[in-house]
Amino acid sequence: MENKKLNAAGAPLKIGVLALQGAFIEHCNMLRKLDVEPIEIRRRVDFSDNLDGLIIPGGESTVMAKLLYELELLNPIKDAIANGLPTFGTCAGLILLSRQIEGAGEGAFPVLDVVTRRNAYGRQLGSFKTTSQFHGIGEIEMVFIRAPYVSEVYGQARVLAVVNEKVVAVEQGKVIAVAFHPELTEDTRLHEYFVKMIVNCQL
Amino acid sequence: MFKKMNEQYGLNKNLAQMLKGGVIMDVTTPQQAKVAEAAGACAVMALERIPADIRAAGGVSRMSDPKMIREIQRAVTIPVMAKCRIGHIAEARILEAIEIDFIDESEVLSPADDIYHVDKTQFSVPFVCGAKDLGEALRRIAEGAAMIRTKGEPGTGDVVQAVRHMRQIMSEIRTLSAKSADELFEAAKQLAAPYDLVKQTAESGRLPVVNFAAGGVATPADAALMMLLGAEGVFVGSGIFKSGEPEKRAAAIVKAVTNFNDFKLLATLSEDLGEAMVGINEDEISLLMAERGK
């Protein structure tokens, strides 16, 4: 326990990982590398109000949106994010956090002032890997799998990364969302960035 | 954009990771594809006839009409998969040309080659292949498969073979992990699989790619059973659109895969699903599809 990262109350930091579908285990493994204990959120009972943060993983956003609703997780999580729960979304997570999805209304947790385009690079043959600058971190490896990008940024959202002239990472308040998959690489810096944000906003 | 083949293979394995914890459903029309997507499928398998009907019709079963596959691609936003015959390089290239998201080189169709599988390392699109045991799984991965599924016995509604194949693969992985480094050379020989993949499997305690269950899954309890045995997701073929209430059954199976450990929820999910597909027991069938391609 002494190695665990602590929150402001002196308890080990607890970060929930939405585990309905997709690559959630990869996020859990990243958190463990940072000495943070992940809590898998599969049911209503798994989502308590003592979480310090939440990760929404990659996967199929349509599947997650449906399961969030049917497993009665949608409103509690929506309220928690609106009330300032630090949240980190990757790929499908970015879609769910967008105020507007092209051709599909708003995301499940519409907190980011962005318009997001799903499958923006086409089918699997359009998936790619690149390295690019990430604001406040430097050059990082970015893996895009049938990825979305942000087609419009307005209001309070701040751009964190741009690839091929498209916005692929944004931050607004305590929410970070990226179109790519840091959890599929060996680089933990983006997860560290999120953990630091949690610790800083508890100070 | 130019990509090296090994980089594309990495991306293809990554796509399989995104499907984990999900259900891939067989569909034969754009309408069924929409039903599957609305029910929470993480991908659909586009084919002209579901395995139960292929089995009933007999005769040679081939790749589906690309026009029908394209219509399904237009109908949904989730990934679309389609099947080619084992060893049928041209069918695979045609599916690649229409930018399918995943090719299933499948024993459900009549094999085109009774010795060789497609050299999947030469393709940009990902492949999923069936396996009954660890050696077979690793041979398919060596050929370039980005995802593995159990063969099960398609179109029967009988889960016994999927269980047998999943137990076999998981048990062989556990045995492998207990071996010393020098024993792995002999293990590779016994498995008839490349040494580097055998070593990687032994060290990580898992297959080098994502491993789904397939073949004979008909109920939420069947899907949960496969997850309990170590599957990372489930293919459901005939089980959904051969049942009384496809929408309800499909949605229940999706939830069962996410919460395979919550038996109270599974009890609720199993209620009032209408009639399940009738099914055939394995000893009542003459054609064992799982024996196609080794």
Side-chain angles (χ1 to χ4, degrees), chain B residues 37-80:
Chain B
E37 185 177 49
C42 68
V44 289
M45 177 76 68
L47 69 175
E48 274 163 351
R49 280 182 296 184
I50 54 174
D53 292 337
I54 291 173
R55 191 175 282 289
V60 176
S61 179
R62 310 176 178 90
M63 176 187 78
S64 297
D65 182 342
K67 183 182 168 197
M68 166 265 179
I69 299 170
R70 281 185 213 259
E71 283 168 2
I72 288 174
Q73 284 176 315
R74 278 195 291 271
V76 294
T77 62
I78 54 178
V80 177

Side-chain angles (χ1 to χ4, degrees), chain A residues 20 26 42 124 127 146, chain B residues 3 12 17 20 77 258:
Chain A
L20 301 178
E26 289 78 353
R42 293 170 184 267
Q124 172 59 9
S127 293
R146 281 174 49 95
Chain B
K3 286 182 283 192
N12 290 344
Q17 284 174 276
K20 283 191 299 180
T77 62
T258 298

Side-chain angles (χ1 to χ4, degrees), chain B residues 24 34 42 46 61 124-125 132 138 173 187 220 266 268:
Chain B
I24 300 167
K34 283 184 178 154
C42 68
S61 179
S124 293
V125 286
K132 299 190 301 296
L138 295 180
I173 292 173
L266 288 173
T268 314

Side-chain angles (χ1 to χ4, degrees), chain A residues 17-27 40 42 56-61 63-64 67 90 92 181 183-184, chain B residues 14-23 42 210 212 227 232-233 257-258:
Chain A
V17 178
L18 194 65
L20 301 178
Q21 191 269 325
F24 50 85
I25 291 165
E26 289 78 353
H27 276 291
E40 288 189 3
R42 293 170 184 267
I56 306 175
E60 282 302 318
S61 60
V63 179
M64 286 186 226
L67 287 170
T90 61
H181 294 281
E183 77 282 10
L184 297 179
Chain B
N14 287 157
L15 175 61
Q17 284 174 276
M18 294 305 140
L19 300 173
K20 283 191 299 180
V23 181
C42 68
V210 165
F212 268 47
M227 296 299 286
E232 296 179 283
V257 167
T258 298

Side-chain angles (χ1 to χ4, degrees), chain A residues 56 98 111 123 148:
Chain A
I56 306 175
S98 300
V111 291
R123 300 192 165 277

